[in-house]
Amino acid sequence: MKRIESSILQKRILEILKKLVETPTPTGEEHKLHDFLTSFLREKGFDVKKQDVPESCPNLIGRRKGGGLLLCAHIDTFPAFDHPDPYKLKLEGENLVGRGVIDPKGQIASLLVAIEYTDSPCEIAFTSGEEEKALGSKFLKATSPQGIVLEPTDFVICLSQAGAIEIEVKVEGTSAHGSLPQEGENAVLKAFEIYRRLTKMPFLKQTHPHFPSGGWVNLGKIQGGKDVMVVPYQCSFQADIGVVPGVNIDQAVREVKNTVIQSGGRIYFRDISPPIQIESKLKVVKLLKESFEAITGKKAKIGGIPSWTDAENLYQKGIFCPVFGAGKLSRAHSNYEWVSLRELELLSLILIHFLDHWNP
């Protein structure tokens, strides 16, 4: 691979990322970047088409020289919430700060720079709605049998993805005067007891080489009570339950349902996604590993990603993709989302090497 000046590469990443971050695209507003991405891809020799998605913004699909390898990233970002100046790209030392800078717009910027430095055939899918119902990847029409889903993995090549059971639980209690809590039944306390029992479910103890700690429960939202002087008589909470590969998703769902019902709650399933795992012998995995090692001089790490990604919907279509990208997943969705410029530069170099050596 021809040597590329670091300063030139970083400058180009910054130029593209500024445009991406400063165009807000929370779920439902992905179309705001379609013109920019379409123009960019066409200038690099791609045939670009919009693909309609029911009840969602369209996907954007680009193919160069017939495609042959899929590179997939979602356009939508997590809502701004309390992120300071979410839609202004800031450079703080070596770090880039802004909503979506790591999930996924930094990944997209690195990809776009990579395709500027190679004319290799490939297929690029920019999907919609990943942060909510993921209808973009669900209805995606791609032709490639293998690919890469770009997400922050800290450069770990993720061959597996944890499944997820997203639930809402509603609990009823009995109201009473707040100074006589023993005369009522506190729905908030009942909800916490259900949560505690959920964390003790046997299937969460099952481990996997990529998930040595087993499954987990994240209590993401809870609402209950009316006033400090009233025993809470209603409470609801939402939780995300991680399911590692090897666990039967149907059995896990039954266990979750039984735990809640037997504890006196009502349960509503918001989403159910099975865990997945692809083979290490796949061509895309071997070349990605070789590319990482050629650029970094380090041994590639193989693992799994705990968060849901478009890779699951692609897997169901028979398109097998490792999940890979720059930056730590823990920084995504946070109130201070950031990634280092060096990380994005490294991702571009790895993708350039990968594309240069991919033979359809």
Side-chain angles (χ1 to χ4, degrees):
M1 186 176 78
K2 184 179 178 181
R3 186 179 181 278
I4 305 169
E5 189 69 36
S6 176
S7 61
I8 296 174
L9 200 62
Q10 290 191 5
K11 181 181 178 181
R12 188 62 175 137
I13 290 170
L14 278 171
E15 290 172 351
I16 295 172
L17 188 56
K18 178 178 172 60
K19 172 65 176 177
L20 297 177
V21 170
E22 297 186 2
T23 304
T25 56
T27 304
E29 299 182 32
E30 296 91 337
H31 62 279
K32 292 181 178 180
L33 274 173
H34 280 182
D35 287 348
F36 170 76
L37 293 170
T38 297
S39 176
F40 189 101
L41 291 177
R42 284 178 176 163
E43 287 179 3
K44 310 309 171 191
F46 285 79
D47 177 39
V48 184
K49 295 180 180 179
K50 289 183 182 179
Q51 183 187 91
D52 289 336
V53 177
E55 301 179 11
S56 181
C57 282
N59 292 325
L60 204 61
I61 312 296
R63 294 187 182 94
R64 184 165 63 184
K65 299 180 180 180
L69 168 81
L70 178 66
L71 295 159
C72 180
H74 62 94
I75 300 176
D76 61 317
T77 67
F78 205 63
F81 289 145
D82 295 323
H83 199 293
D85 282 333
Y87 303 122
K88 181 178 180 180
L89 182 65
K90 296 180 180 179
L91 181 59
E92 299 182 356
E94 286 287 323
N95 299 331
L96 297 158
V97 182
R99 175 56 85 217
V101 75
I102 194 172
D103 183 19
K105 293 181 175 178
Q107 320 299 327
I108 293 175
S110 293
L111 170 62
L112 294 180
V113 170
I115 64 173
E116 286 189 315
Y117 284 90
T118 174
D119 62 356
S120 300
C122 60
E123 180 177 33
I124 292 179
F126 291 122
T127 60
S128 61
E130 192 269 354
E131 296 290 3
E132 290 189 3
K133 296 181 180 179
L135 295 176
S137 58
K138 181 178 181 180
F139 289 97
L140 180 67
K141 296 177 182 177
T143 60
S144 307
Q146 296 181 35
I148 301 171
V149 170
L150 294 169
E151 293 277 5
T153 69
D154 202 20
F155 296 111
V156 174
I157 301 173
C158 294
L159 306 187
S160 65
Q161 177 174 297
I165 303 173
E166 189 176 329
I167 62 172
E168 182 172 1
V169 175
K170 294 186 178 181
V171 183
E172 301 291 334
T174 304
S175 64
H177 193 284
S179 62
L180 295 168
Q182 70 276 12
E183 299 294 329
E185 186 180 29
N186 191 311
V188 173
L189 295 180
K190 285 181 66 177
F192 276 117
E193 178 59 20
I194 292 174
Y195 163 72
R196 188 191 68 80
R197 293 182 182 183
L198 286 171
T199 65
K200 303 296 184 182
M201 292 183 294
F203 79 83
L204 295 176
K205 298 178 182 178
Q206 187 168 329
T207 62
H208 180 275
H210 300 162
F211 301 94
S213 298
W216 60 90
V217 181
N218 178 52
L219 179 59
K221 182 178 180 180
I222 185 166
Q223 293 177 305
K226 298 292 184 181
D227 187 89
V228 70
M229 290 309 297
V230 180
V231 174
Y233 55 90
Q234 288 181 330
C235 185
S236 66
F237 69 84
Q238 295 176 12
D240 182 68
I241 301 170
V243 184
V244 304
V247 173
N248 182 287
I249 191 68
D250 294 328
Q251 182 179 335
V253 167
R254 287 194 296 270
E255 197 168 327
V256 171
K257 182 178 180 179
N258 290 338
T259 299
V260 172
I261 292 175
Q262 290 171 8
S263 302
R266 287 178 289 137
I267 187 168
Y268 303 86
F269 289 93
R270 295 166 54 90
D271 186 53
I272 300 171
S273 301
I276 60 170
Q277 183 167 351
I278 63 172
E279 297 289 335
S280 60
K281 64 184 180 182
L282 288 170
K283 176 182 175 181
V284 65
V285 176
K286 290 181 178 179
L287 183 55
L288 185 55
K289 183 174 179 288
E290 291 171 8
S291 296
F292 175 86
E293 293 176 353
I295 296 300
T296 67
K298 300 177 182 178
K299 184 176 176 60
K301 294 181 180 179
I302 304 298
I305 187 164
S307 176
W308 192 93
T309 76
D310 281 334
E312 197 261 319
N313 280 341
L314 298 179
Y315 181 89
Q316 302 304 333
K317 298 174 184 291
I319 304 172
F320 303 126
C321 302
V323 183
F324 180 77
K328 295 181 182 296
L329 179 63
S330 60
R331 303 173 193 160
H333 297 191
S334 73
N335 291 339
Y336 190 76
E337 186 174 349
W338 66 275
V339 66
S340 76
L341 184 54
R342 174 56 183 157
E343 288 173 301
L344 296 184
E345 178 190 6
L346 190 58
L347 178 58
S348 283
L349 291 170
I350 293 167
L351 292 175
I352 292 167
H353 186 282
F354 183 95
L355 288 167
D356 278 344
H357 290 81
W358 177 265
N359 296 311

